[in-house]
Structures are given as structure tokens and as C-alpha cells.
Amino acid sequence: MAVRTYYKHKRVEDIDILYNFKCESCTKNSGDLKAHIVGPEAIYTSNFSTISDEREEKLEKDAHKNLVKKVKEVYKDVIEKEIYCTEFKDECPHCHKLQSWGVSGLKKNKFDTPKIILILGILMAIVALIGHYCSTTQEIPLSITFWILGGTVVAAVLSFLWNTIKINKRIKEVSKNETRNTPNIDWSNIEKLLDEEK
């Protein structure tokens, strides 16, 4: 049997958004900081190590569309929901204290890791089930499927609890801050991306 080689061709686009904030503890201005926004990768799998100019152009367009989508999501979260993604670092460069507005990004991502764990666990359980029922010798016991599902649920719950503990610790830490501020964000370098259609 011949072995096939596949090549993954990837492209990604990114952009920096300038922002600054007045520290809630020491009240000093942070100075200009950059939130580095990276769009999801555009991927094309091929049998060849090089790709055509046409495919290259499509890959570049897909990477650009992914960045536009990510930037619009970040903008909408900030403007409509006052959620600041974790790319907006909230540690004061002077006193190194964290800011209250940084908690919103952690809360938004609270369920991301548990979801990924559950999806992977379910996929592994499905593969184990297929292996059990499609194997002529049934070398994979059915109990492995239940162990996989049980382990997945436990891992997802532990991940959720860990995220909750981190958020509660952060809330307790920033509750000592003297004031409540939000960052000043300069959207000027992403205006063109915001105006683009999907």
C-alpha cells in the first residue's frame, strides 16, 4: 500500500489595536499598549508542497476574512457588552495591579476549555464504539467507551471549576482597587476592517 503525503498550507493575519488605561490602584496612565488580535488560521490541505497562485490568493483572502470576523467580534463585545478580550492586557505597567475591566474577558472564555474537552471526549467515545461494534474480534471492550465518557465529564467539570476559581480570585483581587475605569481604545487602525462586508 502506497503512503500518501499531505501538506497543510496555512495563512494567518493579525493586527494591533492601541489602547491605554488609567490604573485603578496607582491612578497612573499606562501609556500606549497594544492588543495583538490574531484571526483564526486559514488552512488548505494538498498533496503538493507548493500551491498554485490562485489557491494562494484564496488562502490569503480566507485569512483576511477570518481577521475581519475576529476584529468585528472584539469591537462588538467592547462597544455593546463592555467585554474586553484577554488580548487587552490589564496589568498596570507601573504598580502591576490588575484592573476590574479585565475580568470580563475571563468570564467570556469560562466555558471554552470545558467545551473542547467534552467535544474531544465524545469523539473519542464514538471512535471506541465504532471500534467495538465494527471489530470482528471485539478487542475494544464496551466499558472503555463509558470510561472515556466519564473521564471526559470529570475533566470538563474540573476545568470549569478551575476557571471559576481563577475568576473569583481575580474579582476578589480587583475589588480592592480604589476606582473603576475602562480602557481608552484607539479604533482608527481597524476602521477599514470594520467597514468591510463579511
Side-chain angles (χ1 to χ4, degrees):
M1 180 191 278
V3 177
R4 290 184 179 227
T5 304
Y6 294 98
Y7 299 91
K8 271 190 178 179
H9 303 276
K10 302 176 184 179
R11 297 294 177 275
V12 67
E13 281 195 16
D14 59 348
I15 195 165
D16 290 328
I17 300 175
L18 295 175
Y19 71 102
N20 64 67
F21 60 87
K22 183 178 179 182
C23 179
E24 297 172 343
S25 290
C26 70
T27 67
K28 292 181 180 175
N29 191 293
S30 66
D32 284 340
L33 302 171
K34 293 179 182 179
H36 189 69
I37 308 298
V38 180
E41 284 183 338
I43 300 173
Y44 174 67
T45 306
S46 168
N47 296 337
F48 305 104
S49 60
T50 59
I51 55 176
S52 67
D53 291 341
E54 183 180 300
R55 178 52 69 180
E56 176 79 32
E57 189 176 319
K58 181 170 182 347
L59 206 52
E60 297 285 342
K61 282 182 182 176
D62 289 346
H64 184 74
K65 282 181 188 175
N66 290 345
L67 177 64
V68 169
K69 184 177 177 184
K70 174 77 175 179
V71 164
K72 286 183 177 186
E73 178 186 326
V74 168
Y75 181 79
K76 183 178 179 183
D77 281 350
V78 170
I79 299 300
E80 294 179 10
K81 304 173 191 171
E82 290 190 9
I83 296 175
Y84 300 91
C85 65
T86 53
E87 286 86 348
F88 289 99
K89 304 297 180 204
D90 65 327
E91 183 179 324
C92 176
H94 306 291
C95 68
H96 304 288
K97 299 280 183 168
L98 300 172
Q99 312 303 304
S100 61
W101 52 265
V103 176
S104 62
L106 293 176
K107 285 183 178 178
K108 182 181 180 193
N109 297 339
K110 183 178 186 176
F111 294 100
D112 289 356
T113 307
K115 278 187 213 172
I116 291 169
I117 291 170
L118 280 174
I119 290 168
L120 290 176
I122 290 169
L123 291 174
M124 288 183 349
I126 289 170
V127 168
L129 270 175
I130 290 170
H132 174 76
Y133 286 112
C134 294
S135 172
T136 55
T137 60
Q138 293 190 339
E139 293 175 4
I140 300 174
L142 192 57
S143 61
I144 286 183
T145 304
F146 297 113
W147 278 104
I148 290 171
L149 285 175
T152 298
V153 170
V154 168
V157 168
L158 289 175
S159 173
F160 173 77
L161 290 174
W162 176 251
N163 289 344
T164 304
I165 289 167
K166 281 195 316 188
I167 291 169
N168 288 339
K169 183 181 174 193
R170 175 70 74 91
I171 290 170
K172 186 177 180 182
E173 193 175 329
V174 298
S175 68
K176 298 172 188 168
N177 293 353
E178 301 293 323
T179 59
R180 296 285 180 263
N181 298 323
T182 55
N184 301 312
I185 301 172
D186 179 8
W187 301 107
S188 61
N189 65 327
I190 63 162
E191 283 177 353
K192 289 181 182 176
L193 296 177
L194 293 173
D195 292 337
E196 286 185 27
E197 295 295 320
K198 285 189 178 180

